[in-house]
Amino acid sequence: MTPKVLVVEDEPLLLLAAVDLVEEAGFEALEALNAADAVPILETVPEVCILFTDIDMPGGMEGLNLAVSVRDCWPPMEIIVVSGMKMPRTDELPSRGVFFAKPCDSIAVTKTLVAMGA
């Protein structure tokens, strides 16, 4: 079974680009436009092994809060956080969380995805 990555991004073109990157790395990508859409997917698809989330999103929960919540509720899940607007401090990222500034280095992100999914 192909490992699953949940991509959470509110900008449609950036969502498509992230999904392409995830799929080219050999994963199945699931999509959510915000944290409110992401949580039900996480609750019903236990095969999700990596969360790939943007920080800035509309709605009640932004990406860093989602990442922290995921770490608390699904400790084994790996987490990649991206943003073109904010640079989180190391203590703001959940344990084992990895940050990439947008535009992301696709080679570095691919290597990280593959290492996390191994």
Side-chain angles (χ1 to χ4, degrees):
M1 182 183 304
T2 305
K4 293 177 177 25
V5 176
L6 177 57
V7 179
V8 187
E9 171 63 64
D10 64 310
E11 296 291 332
L13 291 177
L14 296 177
L15 177 61
L16 287 174
V19 165
D20 285 346
L21 181 65
V22 165
E23 290 176 346
E24 287 173 9
F27 297 88
E28 180 180 336
L30 304 176
E31 303 174 22
L33 295 174
N34 54 46
D37 293 343
V39 172
I41 294 170
L42 292 167
E43 291 174 339
T44 59
V45 184
E47 300 84 12
V48 174
C49 62
I50 301 170
L51 171 70
F52 184 109
T53 185
D54 185 28
I55 291 178
D56 296 311
M57 291 184 291
M61 181 184 287
E62 53 89 38
L64 275 178
N65 291 337
L66 174 63
V68 170
S69 178
V70 164
R71 175 58 66 235
D72 291 342
C73 296
W74 295 276
M77 191 169 302
E78 300 296 344
I79 299 170
I80 295 175
V81 177
V82 299
S83 180
M85 307 293 279
K86 296 180 182 176
M87 175 74 139
R89 296 183 321 266
T90 304
D91 65 334
E92 291 179 302
L93 288 172
S95 64
R96 299 190 336 270
V98 177
F99 174 77
F100 289 98
K102 290 180 184 177
C104 298
D105 176 343
S106 61
I107 293 171
V109 173
T110 299
K111 285 181 181 178
T112 300
L113 283 165
V114 169
M116 288 177 162

